[in-house]
């Protein structure tokens, strides 16, 4: 049986650029971990592809998954469900691959409760002014929604203390480099490699 | 007052190449942490320089330092003292610089007891056969000493579980890259950067 893979969770405030960073990360030639596609009930934005950016499902389908215990985490956010189907994650980890999740902060805390051994990375905006400008720049939400999100972001920054690492998203390529550094470093953690060394010495843990 | 620096401890079995890796690391142009020179009562090997490789002192001088509480850690190893003078480490950390120690395993455990927030890296030989060959290749010890060190190394490998990271010394340049990755990743740890973010938001921790 392969050594179980590592679960990497990227989260952060709404509008911080999680999706952009995740896409750039998976365009890197040396990234060998697997992306777990989230499921959502929100409508696709322009250019988003079902089964690639998200699994876009109906509210009823999503609630069936919850009822059947088939979600690793889920959250309702601005009237829509977002979540991670459990089956793909478990199967891929069992095969020995590392799995990468890009999820909302509420969901990340559920993963923390269920999988404390996962690596939790919090993506942060350079500052809240930039966050506000980015949300306005996106042009898909009205001002009330934006104000509500700003307030949420302040409390979300404080949620950083529930994460292992904070990655500043000043530039997408910097954020990508930092995440790769974290993953490469975590792969050298003693609790991950100790079993390999002991078996090399013919010893059991 | 500057944010206190991070203490990085490199240790590992005798003969694994700690000194070689440390020297190569400090030849890298982008390494900005400070090396804390150890103190020892053993004789200089060929090419070793007092005040650069070690502070070479007499047994009496070393024991005076111990008595006066001026050692962060020390150990007696093959009839000689090795240790880290406390003063330089504290002063440099207080100035906000990261400090790098390359020390023996007994000393590392004393640092762990005194500074649990430090980062502990264990350098490992590719395997014990290679370790044996390296010790013989060094040509400064007789076979009894070598056998004693091999036995020690087996128990030292098991000490790995007291460290945060294991770095394989298959090639010096690989080991150097791995240590740089670990340090860069540790600098993104939430407990190290949280105070900066809170002050950016005008909040106190």
């Amino acid at each position: 049986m392969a050594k179980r893979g590592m679960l990497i969770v990227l989260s952060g405030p709404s509008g911080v650029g999680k999706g952009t960073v995740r896409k750039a990360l998976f365009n890197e030639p040396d990234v060998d971990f697997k992306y777990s596609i989230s499921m959502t009930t929100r409508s696709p934005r322009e250019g988003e592809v079902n089964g690639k950016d998200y699994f876009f499902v109906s509210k009823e389908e999503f609630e069936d998954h919850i009822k059947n215990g088939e979600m690793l985490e889920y959250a309702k956010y601005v009237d829509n469900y977002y979540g991670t189907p459990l089956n793909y994650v478990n199967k891929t980890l069992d095969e020995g691959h590392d799995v990468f999740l890009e999820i909302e902060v509420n969901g990340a805390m559920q993963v923390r409760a269920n999988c404390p051994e996962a690596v939790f990375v919090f993506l942060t905006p350079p500052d809240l002014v930039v966050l506000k400008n980015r949300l306005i720049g996106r042009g898909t939400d009205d001002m009330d929604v934006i104000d509500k999100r700003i307030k949420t972001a302040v409390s979300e920054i404080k949620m950083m203390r529930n994460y292992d690492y904070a990655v500043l998203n000043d530039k997408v390529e910097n954020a990508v480099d930092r995440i790769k550094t974290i993953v490469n470093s975590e792969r050298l953690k003693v609790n991950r490699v100790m079993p390999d060394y002991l078996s090399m010495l013919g010893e059991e843990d």
Side-chain angles (χ1 to χ4, degrees), chain A residues 172-199:
Chain A
V172 172
E173 58 267 38
N174 292 348
V176 165
D177 282 347
R178 289 174 189 131
I179 294 168
K180 285 165 69 176
T181 296
I182 289 166
V183 172
N184 287 331
S185 175
E186 281 285 333
R187 285 175 174 168
L188 302 174
K189 278 273 178 82
V190 163
N191 56 3
R192 299 192 202 283
V193 300
M194 189 78 187
D196 303 335
Y197 279 99
L198 284 172
S199 89

PDB file of all heavy atoms in Angstrom, chain A residues 172-199:
ATOM      1  N   VAL A 172       0.627  37.213  -8.262  1.00  0.00           N
ATOM      2  CA  VAL A 172       0.230  35.813  -8.393  1.00  0.00           C
ATOM      3  C   VAL A 172       1.465  34.902  -8.401  1.00  0.00           C
ATOM      4  O   VAL A 172       1.503  33.886  -7.701  1.00  0.00           O
ATOM      5  CB  VAL A 172      -0.630  35.592  -9.656  1.00  0.00           C
ATOM      6  CG1 VAL A 172      -0.869  34.103  -9.898  1.00  0.00           C
ATOM      7  CG2 VAL A 172      -1.959  36.306  -9.501  1.00  0.00           C
ATOM      8  N   GLU A 173       2.519  35.276  -9.161  1.00  0.00           N
ATOM      9  CA  GLU A 173       3.682  34.388  -9.261  1.00  0.00           C
ATOM     10  C   GLU A 173       4.414  34.270  -7.924  1.00  0.00           C
ATOM     11  O   GLU A 173       4.976  33.214  -7.617  1.00  0.00           O
ATOM     12  CB  GLU A 173       4.633  34.819 -10.396  1.00  0.00           C
ATOM     13  CG  GLU A 173       5.177  36.225 -10.306  1.00  0.00           C
ATOM     14  CD  GLU A 173       4.324  37.236 -11.080  1.00  0.00           C
ATOM     15  OE1 GLU A 173       3.079  37.121 -11.073  1.00  0.00           O
ATOM     16  OE2 GLU A 173       4.918  38.164 -11.668  1.00  0.00           O
ATOM     17  N   ASN A 174       4.396  35.354  -7.108  1.00  0.00           N
ATOM     18  CA  ASN A 174       4.997  35.248  -5.767  1.00  0.00           C
ATOM     19  C   ASN A 174       4.199  34.302  -4.882  1.00  0.00           C
ATOM     20  O   ASN A 174       4.759  33.487  -4.155  1.00  0.00           O
ATOM     21  CB  ASN A 174       5.045  36.619  -5.087  1.00  0.00           C
ATOM     22  CG  ASN A 174       6.004  37.578  -5.757  1.00  0.00           C
ATOM     23  OD1 ASN A 174       6.805  37.174  -6.605  1.00  0.00           O
ATOM     24  ND2 ASN A 174       5.932  38.843  -5.396  1.00  0.00           N
ATOM     25  N   ALA A 175       2.878  34.434  -4.929  1.00  0.00           N
ATOM     26  CA  ALA A 175       2.020  33.573  -4.115  1.00  0.00           C
ATOM     27  C   ALA A 175       2.215  32.107  -4.515  1.00  0.00           C
ATOM     28  O   ALA A 175       2.307  31.224  -3.651  1.00  0.00           O
ATOM     29  CB  ALA A 175       0.558  33.983  -4.267  1.00  0.00           C
ATOM     30  N   VAL A 176       2.317  31.855  -5.825  1.00  0.00           N
ATOM     31  CA  VAL A 176       2.537  30.486  -6.320  1.00  0.00           C
ATOM     32  C   VAL A 176       3.864  29.939  -5.794  1.00  0.00           C
ATOM     33  O   VAL A 176       3.935  28.814  -5.286  1.00  0.00           O
ATOM     34  CB  VAL A 176       2.505  30.465  -7.867  1.00  0.00           C
ATOM     35  CG1 VAL A 176       3.084  29.172  -8.420  1.00  0.00           C
ATOM     36  CG2 VAL A 176       1.073  30.661  -8.358  1.00  0.00           C
ATOM     37  N   ASP A 177       4.944  30.744  -5.882  1.00  0.00           N
ATOM     38  CA  ASP A 177       6.252  30.313  -5.377  1.00  0.00           C
ATOM     39  C   ASP A 177       6.190  29.989  -3.888  1.00  0.00           C
ATOM     40  O   ASP A 177       6.774  29.009  -3.429  1.00  0.00           O
ATOM     41  CB  ASP A 177       7.314  31.400  -5.606  1.00  0.00           C
ATOM     42  CG  ASP A 177       7.798  31.414  -7.041  1.00  0.00           C
ATOM     43  OD1 ASP A 177       7.503  30.456  -7.778  1.00  0.00           O
ATOM     44  OD2 ASP A 177       8.464  32.394  -7.430  1.00  0.00           O
ATOM     45  N   ARG A 178       5.488  30.844  -3.132  1.00  0.00           N
ATOM     46  CA  ARG A 178       5.407  30.620  -1.684  1.00  0.00           C
ATOM     47  C   ARG A 178       4.676  29.321  -1.383  1.00  0.00           C
ATOM     48  O   ARG A 178       5.075  28.564  -0.493  1.00  0.00           O
ATOM     49  CB  ARG A 178       4.695  31.815  -1.022  1.00  0.00           C
ATOM     50  CG  ARG A 178       5.542  33.075  -1.021  1.00  0.00           C
ATOM     51  CD  ARG A 178       4.778  34.306  -0.502  1.00  0.00           C
ATOM     52  NE  ARG A 178       5.589  35.503  -0.724  1.00  0.00           N
ATOM     53  CZ  ARG A 178       5.159  36.637  -1.279  1.00  0.00           C
ATOM     54  NH1 ARG A 178       3.887  36.753  -1.658  1.00  0.00           N
ATOM     55  NH2 ARG A 178       5.969  37.654  -1.447  1.00  0.00           N
ATOM     56  N   ILE A 179       3.599  29.037  -2.099  1.00  0.00           N
ATOM     57  CA  ILE A 179       2.845  27.800  -1.850  1.00  0.00           C
ATOM     58  C   ILE A 179       3.704  26.586  -2.197  1.00  0.00           C
ATOM     59  O   ILE A 179       3.732  25.595  -1.458  1.00  0.00           O
ATOM     60  CB  ILE A 179       1.510  27.794  -2.631  1.00  0.00           C
ATOM     61  CG1 ILE A 179       0.586  28.885  -2.082  1.00  0.00           C
ATOM     62  CG2 ILE A 179       0.834  26.417  -2.552  1.00  0.00           C
ATOM     63  CD1 ILE A 179      -0.633  29.167  -2.947  1.00  0.00           C
ATOM     64  N   LYS A 180       4.461  26.655  -3.304  1.00  0.00           N
ATOM     65  CA  LYS A 180       5.347  25.544  -3.669  1.00  0.00           C
ATOM     66  C   LYS A 180       6.425  25.325  -2.598  1.00  0.00           C
ATOM     67  O   LYS A 180       6.755  24.183  -2.258  1.00  0.00           O
ATOM     68  CB  LYS A 180       5.994  25.810  -5.035  1.00  0.00           C
ATOM     69  CG  LYS A 180       5.034  25.613  -6.196  1.00  0.00           C
ATOM     70  CD  LYS A 180       5.546  26.206  -7.487  1.00  0.00           C
ATOM     71  CE  LYS A 180       6.733  25.478  -8.067  1.00  0.00           C
ATOM     72  NZ  LYS A 180       7.124  26.055  -9.392  1.00  0.00           N
ATOM     73  N   THR A 181       6.958  26.433  -2.072  1.00  0.00           N
ATOM     74  CA  THR A 181       7.956  26.341  -0.999  1.00  0.00           C
ATOM     75  C   THR A 181       7.369  25.635   0.222  1.00  0.00           C
ATOM     76  O   THR A 181       8.005  24.750   0.815  1.00  0.00           O
ATOM     77  CB  THR A 181       8.452  27.754  -0.609  1.00  0.00           C
ATOM     78  OG1 THR A 181       9.124  28.322  -1.734  1.00  0.00           O
ATOM     79  CG2 THR A 181       9.404  27.702   0.577  1.00  0.00           C
ATOM     80  N   ILE A 182       6.149  26.021   0.591  1.00  0.00           N
ATOM     81  CA  ILE A 182       5.495  25.413   1.755  1.00  0.00           C
ATOM     82  C   ILE A 182       5.306  23.912   1.545  1.00  0.00           C
ATOM     83  O   ILE A 182       5.614  23.107   2.425  1.00  0.00           O
ATOM     84  CB  ILE A 182       4.134  26.102   2.028  1.00  0.00           C
ATOM     85  CG1 ILE A 182       4.363  27.525   2.562  1.00  0.00           C
ATOM     86  CG2 ILE A 182       3.276  25.280   2.995  1.00  0.00           C
ATOM     87  CD1 ILE A 182       3.118  28.406   2.549  1.00  0.00           C
ATOM     88  N   VAL A 183       4.809  23.533   0.366  1.00  0.00           N
ATOM     89  CA  VAL A 183       4.549  22.108   0.110  1.00  0.00           C
ATOM     90  C   VAL A 183       5.860  21.319   0.127  1.00  0.00           C
ATOM     91  O   VAL A 183       5.948  20.252   0.750  1.00  0.00           O
ATOM     92  CB  VAL A 183       3.807  21.915  -1.231  1.00  0.00           C
ATOM     93  CG1 VAL A 183       3.712  20.432  -1.587  1.00  0.00           C
ATOM     94  CG2 VAL A 183       2.415  22.535  -1.168  1.00  0.00           C
ATOM     95  N   ASN A 184       6.900  21.850  -0.515  1.00  0.00           N
ATOM     96  CA  ASN A 184       8.196  21.150  -0.532  1.00  0.00           C
ATOM     97  C   ASN A 184       8.775  21.019   0.871  1.00  0.00           C
ATOM     98  O   ASN A 184       9.385  20.005   1.209  1.00  0.00           O
ATOM     99  CB  ASN A 184       9.182  21.881  -1.445  1.00  0.00           C
ATOM    100  CG  ASN A 184       8.842  21.695  -2.901  1.00  0.00           C
ATOM    101  OD1 ASN A 184       8.259  20.671  -3.289  1.00  0.00           O
ATOM    102  ND2 ASN A 184       9.166  22.671  -3.734  1.00  0.00           N
ATOM    103  N   SER A 185       8.599  22.049   1.680  1.00  0.00           N
ATOM    104  CA  SER A 185       9.080  22.003   3.056  1.00  0.00           C
ATOM    105  C   SER A 185       8.276  21.001   3.893  1.00  0.00           C
ATOM    106  O   SER A 185       8.846  20.203   4.642  1.00  0.00           O
ATOM    107  CB  SER A 185       8.991  23.408   3.658  1.00  0.00           C
ATOM    108  OG  SER A 185       9.332  23.394   5.012  1.00  0.00           O
ATOM    109  N   GLU A 186       6.967  21.013   3.729  1.00  0.00           N
ATOM    110  CA  GLU A 186       6.119  20.079   4.494  1.00  0.00           C
ATOM    111  C   GLU A 186       6.439  18.619   4.170  1.00  0.00           C
ATOM    112  O   GLU A 186       6.279  17.744   5.006  1.00  0.00           O
ATOM    113  CB  GLU A 186       4.637  20.364   4.208  1.00  0.00           C
ATOM    114  CG  GLU A 186       4.081  21.559   4.965  1.00  0.00           C
ATOM    115  CD  GLU A 186       3.843  21.262   6.448  1.00  0.00           C
ATOM    116  OE1 GLU A 186       3.618  20.096   6.799  1.00  0.00           O
ATOM    117  OE2 GLU A 186       3.893  22.215   7.251  1.00  0.00           O
ATOM    118  N   ARG A 187       6.899  18.379   2.947  1.00  0.00           N
ATOM    119  CA  ARG A 187       7.266  17.012   2.567  1.00  0.00           C
ATOM    120  C   ARG A 187       8.505  16.523   3.306  1.00  0.00           C
ATOM    121  O   ARG A 187       8.817  15.333   3.284  1.00  0.00           O
ATOM    122  CB  ARG A 187       7.489  16.928   1.053  1.00  0.00           C
ATOM    123  CG  ARG A 187       6.185  16.952   0.275  1.00  0.00           C
ATOM    124  CD  ARG A 187       6.409  16.990  -1.216  1.00  0.00           C
ATOM    125  NE  ARG A 187       5.130  16.872  -1.914  1.00  0.00           N
ATOM    126  CZ  ARG A 187       4.953  17.100  -3.208  1.00  0.00           C
ATOM    127  NH1 ARG A 187       5.989  17.459  -3.965  1.00  0.00           N
ATOM    128  NH2 ARG A 187       3.767  16.974  -3.766  1.00  0.00           N
ATOM    129  N   LEU A 188       9.239  17.444   3.942  1.00  0.00           N
ATOM    130  CA  LEU A 188      10.439  17.080   4.722  1.00  0.00           C
ATOM    131  C   LEU A 188      10.137  16.969   6.215  1.00  0.00           C
ATOM    132  O   LEU A 188      11.034  16.701   7.005  1.00  0.00           O
ATOM    133  CB  LEU A 188      11.539  18.128   4.496  1.00  0.00           C
ATOM    134  CG  LEU A 188      11.971  18.342   3.039  1.00  0.00           C
ATOM    135  CD1 LEU A 188      12.955  19.509   2.944  1.00  0.00           C
ATOM    136  CD2 LEU A 188      12.613  17.072   2.487  1.00  0.00           C
ATOM    137  N   LYS A 189       8.878  17.168   6.600  1.00  0.00           N
ATOM    138  CA  LYS A 189       8.525  17.062   8.018  1.00  0.00           C
ATOM    139  C   LYS A 189       8.808  15.651   8.525  1.00  0.00           C
ATOM    140  O   LYS A 189       8.473  14.665   7.863  1.00  0.00           O
ATOM    141  CB  LYS A 189       7.029  17.383   8.209  1.00  0.00           C
ATOM    142  CG  LYS A 189       6.708  18.870   8.262  1.00  0.00           C
ATOM    143  CD  LYS A 189       6.844  19.435   9.664  1.00  0.00           C
ATOM    144  CE  LYS A 189       6.568  20.919   9.738  1.00  0.00           C
ATOM    145  NZ  LYS A 189       5.115  21.215   9.809  1.00  0.00           N
ATOM    146  N   VAL A 190       9.401  15.583   9.718  1.00  0.00           N
ATOM    147  CA  VAL A 190       9.801  14.299  10.285  1.00  0.00           C
ATOM    148  C   VAL A 190       8.628  13.328  10.387  1.00  0.00           C
ATOM    149  O   VAL A 190       8.762  12.145  10.043  1.00  0.00           O
ATOM    150  CB  VAL A 190      10.468  14.501  11.663  1.00  0.00           C
ATOM    151  CG1 VAL A 190      10.513  13.205  12.452  1.00  0.00           C
ATOM    152  CG2 VAL A 190      11.887  15.049  11.477  1.00  0.00           C
ATOM    153  N   ASN A 191       7.456  13.812  10.818  1.00  0.00           N
ATOM    154  CA  ASN A 191       6.335  12.875  10.968  1.00  0.00           C
ATOM    155  C   ASN A 191       5.877  12.292   9.629  1.00  0.00           C
ATOM    156  O   ASN A 191       5.235  11.255   9.591  1.00  0.00           O
ATOM    157  CB  ASN A 191       5.172  13.504  11.755  1.00  0.00           C
ATOM    158  CG  ASN A 191       4.680  14.800  11.140  1.00  0.00           C
ATOM    159  OD1 ASN A 191       5.164  15.218  10.075  1.00  0.00           O
ATOM    160  ND2 ASN A 191       3.732  15.458  11.793  1.00  0.00           N
ATOM    161  N   ARG A 192       6.240  12.946   8.516  1.00  0.00           N
ATOM    162  CA  ARG A 192       5.901  12.380   7.202  1.00  0.00           C
ATOM    163  C   ARG A 192       6.957  11.394   6.702  1.00  0.00           C
ATOM    164  O   ARG A 192       6.627  10.451   5.982  1.00  0.00           O
ATOM    165  CB  ARG A 192       5.719  13.498   6.164  1.00  0.00           C
ATOM    166  CG  ARG A 192       4.592  14.460   6.503  1.00  0.00           C
ATOM    167  CD  ARG A 192       4.239  15.382   5.346  1.00  0.00           C
ATOM    168  NE  ARG A 192       3.565  16.572   5.827  1.00  0.00           N
ATOM    169  CZ  ARG A 192       2.292  16.623   6.198  1.00  0.00           C
ATOM    170  NH1 ARG A 192       1.524  15.564   6.115  1.00  0.00           N
ATOM    171  NH2 ARG A 192       1.764  17.761   6.654  1.00  0.00           N
ATOM    172  N   VAL A 193       8.248  11.618   7.037  1.00  0.00           N
ATOM    173  CA  VAL A 193       9.318  10.787   6.461  1.00  0.00           C
ATOM    174  C   VAL A 193       9.874   9.744   7.423  1.00  0.00           C
ATOM    175  O   VAL A 193      10.577   8.823   7.006  1.00  0.00           O
ATOM    176  CB  VAL A 193      10.487  11.654   5.918  1.00  0.00           C
ATOM    177  CG1 VAL A 193       9.986  12.593   4.832  1.00  0.00           C
ATOM    178  CG2 VAL A 193      11.177  12.422   7.023  1.00  0.00           C
ATOM    179  N   MET A 194       9.560   9.875   8.725  1.00  0.00           N
ATOM    180  CA  MET A 194      10.092   8.942   9.731  1.00  0.00           C
ATOM    181  C   MET A 194       9.857   7.476   9.360  1.00  0.00           C
ATOM    182  O   MET A 194      10.785   6.666   9.468  1.00  0.00           O
ATOM    183  CB  MET A 194       9.452   9.274  11.091  1.00  0.00           C
ATOM    184  CG  MET A 194      10.054   8.533  12.263  1.00  0.00           C
ATOM    185  SD  MET A 194      11.641   9.268  12.788  1.00  0.00           S
ATOM    186  CE  MET A 194      12.162   8.064  14.006  1.00  0.00           C
ATOM    187  N   PRO A 195       8.644   7.098   8.911  1.00  0.00           N
ATOM    188  CA  PRO A 195       8.419   5.684   8.569  1.00  0.00           C
ATOM    189  C   PRO A 195       9.380   5.184   7.483  1.00  0.00           C
ATOM    190  O   PRO A 195       9.860   4.050   7.553  1.00  0.00           O
ATOM    191  CB  PRO A 195       6.966   5.664   8.073  1.00  0.00           C
ATOM    192  CG  PRO A 195       6.327   6.863   8.695  1.00  0.00           C
ATOM    193  CD  PRO A 195       7.410   7.895   8.762  1.00  0.00           C
ATOM    194  N   ASP A 196       9.701   6.022   6.488  1.00  0.00           N
ATOM    195  CA  ASP A 196      10.636   5.634   5.425  1.00  0.00           C
ATOM    196  C   ASP A 196      12.023   5.352   5.993  1.00  0.00           C
ATOM    197  O   ASP A 196      12.669   4.377   5.618  1.00  0.00           O
ATOM    198  CB  ASP A 196      10.761   6.753   4.385  1.00  0.00           C
ATOM    199  CG  ASP A 196       9.424   7.132   3.771  1.00  0.00           C
ATOM    200  OD1 ASP A 196       8.524   6.261   3.762  1.00  0.00           O
ATOM    201  OD2 ASP A 196       9.279   8.275   3.318  1.00  0.00           O
ATOM    202  N   TYR A 197      12.488   6.233   6.889  1.00  0.00           N
ATOM    203  CA  TYR A 197      13.818   6.051   7.470  1.00  0.00           C
ATOM    204  C   TYR A 197      13.887   4.804   8.334  1.00  0.00           C
ATOM    205  O   TYR A 197      14.858   4.051   8.284  1.00  0.00           O
ATOM    206  CB  TYR A 197      14.215   7.275   8.302  1.00  0.00           C
ATOM    207  CG  TYR A 197      14.744   8.413   7.460  1.00  0.00           C
ATOM    208  CD1 TYR A 197      13.931   9.472   7.109  1.00  0.00           C
ATOM    209  CD2 TYR A 197      16.060   8.425   7.034  1.00  0.00           C
ATOM    210  CE1 TYR A 197      14.417  10.525   6.337  1.00  0.00           C
ATOM    211  CE2 TYR A 197      16.553   9.470   6.261  1.00  0.00           C
ATOM    212  CZ  TYR A 197      15.728  10.511   5.918  1.00  0.00           C
ATOM    213  OH  TYR A 197      16.213  11.538   5.164  1.00  0.00           O
ATOM    214  N   LEU A 198      12.833   4.584   9.136  1.00  0.00           N
ATOM    215  CA  LEU A 198      12.853   3.413  10.007  1.00  0.00           C
ATOM    216  C   LEU A 198      12.875   2.124   9.192  1.00  0.00           C
ATOM    217  O   LEU A 198      13.586   1.176   9.533  1.00  0.00           O
ATOM    218  CB  LEU A 198      11.658   3.436  10.963  1.00  0.00           C
ATOM    219  CG  LEU A 198      11.808   4.415  12.129  1.00  0.00           C
ATOM    220  CD1 LEU A 198      10.508   4.508  12.909  1.00  0.00           C
ATOM    221  CD2 LEU A 198      12.952   4.020  13.057  1.00  0.00           C
ATOM    222  N   SER A 199      12.123   2.101   8.097  1.00  0.00           N
ATOM    223  CA  SER A 199      12.105   0.882   7.290  1.00  0.00           C
ATOM    224  C   SER A 199      13.460   0.685   6.593  1.00  0.00           C
ATOM    225  O   SER A 199      13.902  -0.442   6.385  1.00  0.00           O
ATOM    226  CB  SER A 199      10.946   0.907   6.295  1.00  0.00           C
ATOM    227  OG  SER A 199      11.321   1.514   5.100  1.00  0.00           O
TER     228      SER A 199
END
